[in-house]
Every structure is written in C-alpha cells, then in structure tokens.
Amino acid sequence: MSEQTEKELIKNDILGKVLFSSSDIKDRISELGKEITQDYKYKNLLLVSILRGGVIFLSDLIKEIDLPLSIDFMSISAYGINGTSTGVVRITKDLDESIEGKDVLIAEDIIDTGLTISYLLRNLKSRFPNSLEICTLLDRDIRRIADINIKYIGFKIGEKYIVGYGLDYKQKFRNLQSIYELKLDTVKKDIEFLKSSSNV
Ligand code: 5GP
C-alpha cells in the first residue's frame, strides 16, 4: 500500500500510531537474518510459515539468510473464546514435505498467548525433526499462557491490537508496509468478534 493511502487511513481514524515503520522492520529482519545465518551453518535449514499472516515476514526474512534453505507452508484454523485463543487448532493445509532430520525454524508473525504455536510445536515434534525452533517478528509476552521457548524475536509489543505487514483485521490491512495500532474506538466491537472466531 502507498504511504499516501496509509496516511489517509490514519487521518480517517482507522489506524493509530505507527509501532514499527517499514525501515524499522527491514533493519530488524536484516539482523535476524545474520543471526540465523551464523547459527544454521552446516545445518539442513527448513523455514516453515503459517498462512496467511506469516508469509510476508518469511519472504523478507529468507532473503536475509545467506545459506541454502527450503521453505514450506502450513495453514491452520484456531478457535478462541472471548478474545483468547484456546490452543484448539485444526490443520487445514499440512506441510508438503517431510521434516524428518531437518532443522526446522517456524517463522511466525506474532505470538500472543502462545497456545497456537504450542499446539504446532507438539505436532511437528512428533515428526522427528533434527531441531525445531521459533522465529517470531512480534512477541506479546505479557499475554503468554503457554510455556514456550522462542529463539529469535524481532520486537516485543504491548496489549494493543495491531495490523499491517501481514497482520490483518478481517483479512484486510495485511499489505500495509508498516505495523500500526488499530484504532479500537473505531472498530472495537468487530475486533472482539474477530478474536473469538479467528482464522489465523
Ligand atoms: P496465540 O495462540 O499466540 O494467542 O495467537 C496468535 C495468533 O493470534 C496470531 O498468529 C495472529 O493471527 C493472532 N493475533 C494475536 N494478536 C494479534 C494482533 O494484535 N493483531 C493481529 N492482526 N492478529 C493477532
């Protein structure tokens, strides 16, 4: 989306303040890419992205990793109650390849309660990868319920619901270049609805 359109959405009270600009995101992803390049030398690296939100992050991240690697995708539906995910997850599209013996790195857009990723970790662990780690662009650790270990974190964030750079509101706003707070007063009712029946 153009900067001009993003400015209009702010003017119309739909988007709040910019949390991370596209250049903040670019710089941080470049650092993450360097760390991953260092850590995964001589490994059999497979990056897994969870559709749909994680795709934009994955596509920028892999360009910053200076190693041979492969990518694969999963799609899931997560069910929630009163704005909190329950960890009840259905796989709607599974990986295309076996992960046995591979060094799997899940590239996630955001980890909130951690219940969704915790289900995925259990599921993927049972497929005998050589290693299994998480790289998340955003970490809302103040709402964490599941006990998970995240190897790479882009940014830590607070409570506010955010959109952009892959993150949606009712499947919209994924194509914003920066990450914004969504104006709760404009769309609060809809967010409660969205969170309680979220399609991740
Ligand atoms: P968890 O199981 O960690 O609570 O849920 C993580 C999922 O909830 C994310 O993959 C994302 O789809 C959704 N989510 C949590 N917080 C936000 C947010 O602030 N904005 C958006 N757009 N999605 C969110």
Side-chain angles (χ1 to χ4, degrees):
M1 204 179 273
S2 74
E3 253 180 62
Q4 180 60 28
T5 310
E6 296 193 12
K7 276 186 187 144
E8 269 166 37
L9 287 166
I10 295 173
K11 224 166 76 189
N12 290 330
D13 231 21
I14 292 168
L15 299 179
K17 69 170 189 194
V18 179
L19 270 192
F20 305 106
S21 68
S22 60
S23 75
D24 295 337
I25 298 169
K26 195 173 185 304
D27 292 350
R28 187 69 189 114
I29 290 178
S30 157
E31 289 169 4
L32 290 172
K34 286 196 182 89
E35 270 185 67
I36 294 168
T37 302
Q38 202 58 41
D39 295 348
Y40 282 84
K41 260 182 198 147
Y42 314 115
K43 301 235 169 155
N44 190 359
L45 179 58
L46 168 70
L47 274 116
V48 168
S49 172
I50 317 300
L51 300 170
R52 295 166 235 184
V55 169
I56 291 169
F57 175 45
L58 176 93
S59 67
D60 284 342
L61 180 64
I62 56 172
K63 287 178 270 181
E64 301 296 331
I65 302 175
D66 197 12
L67 294 172
L69 57 80
S70 5
I71 58 174
D72 206 344
F73 300 89
M74 267 181 123
S75 188
I76 58 174
S77 267
Y79 301 96
I81 296 168
N82 296 330
T84 310
S85 68
T86 55
V88 180
V89 173
R90 189 166 56 93
I91 295 176
T92 53
K93 184 223 165 292
D94 208 341
L95 299 172
D96 287 329
E97 314 265 330
S98 160
I99 61 168
E100 190 169 342
K102 297 191 182 152
D103 295 291
V104 178
L105 183 59
I106 304 173
E108 258 288 36
D109 49 358
I110 178 168
I111 299 184
D112 191 41
T113 63
L115 290 169
T116 310
I117 197 85
S118 148
Y119 167 86
L120 276 181
L121 286 173
R122 280 198 304 279
N123 182 293
L124 295 179
K125 242 177 223 160
S126 71
R127 305 181 193 193
F128 307 107
N130 185 51
S131 63
L132 180 60
E133 302 287 355
I134 305 167
C135 174
T136 187
L137 180 63
L138 302 160
D139 178 20
R140 188 183 281 125
D141 58 351
I142 46 171
R143 276 171 46 94
R144 189 67 31 77
I145 294 172
D147 181 21
I148 49 168
N149 180 39
I150 306 176
K151 187 160 185 186
Y152 306 98
I153 295 170
F155 305 102
K156 295 212 179 220
I157 57 162
E159 286 276 1
K160 295 249 168 81
Y161 192 87
I162 54 175
V163 291
Y165 195 76
L167 290 154
D168 73 311
Y169 170 67
K170 287 194 170 178
Q171 299 305 332
K172 299 289 189 294
F173 302 121
R174 293 194 197 276
N175 57 332
L176 297 171
Q177 297 186 36
S178 302
I179 294 175
Y180 295 86
E181 287 176 357
L182 194 66
K183 272 287 177 85
L184 285 177
D185 43 353
T186 318
V187 283
K188 185 151 197 247
K189 264 197 190 152
D190 288 341
I191 289 173
E192 291 314 316
F193 168 76
L194 177 86
K195 279 190 159 181
S196 63
S197 61
S198 83
N199 275 311
V200 182

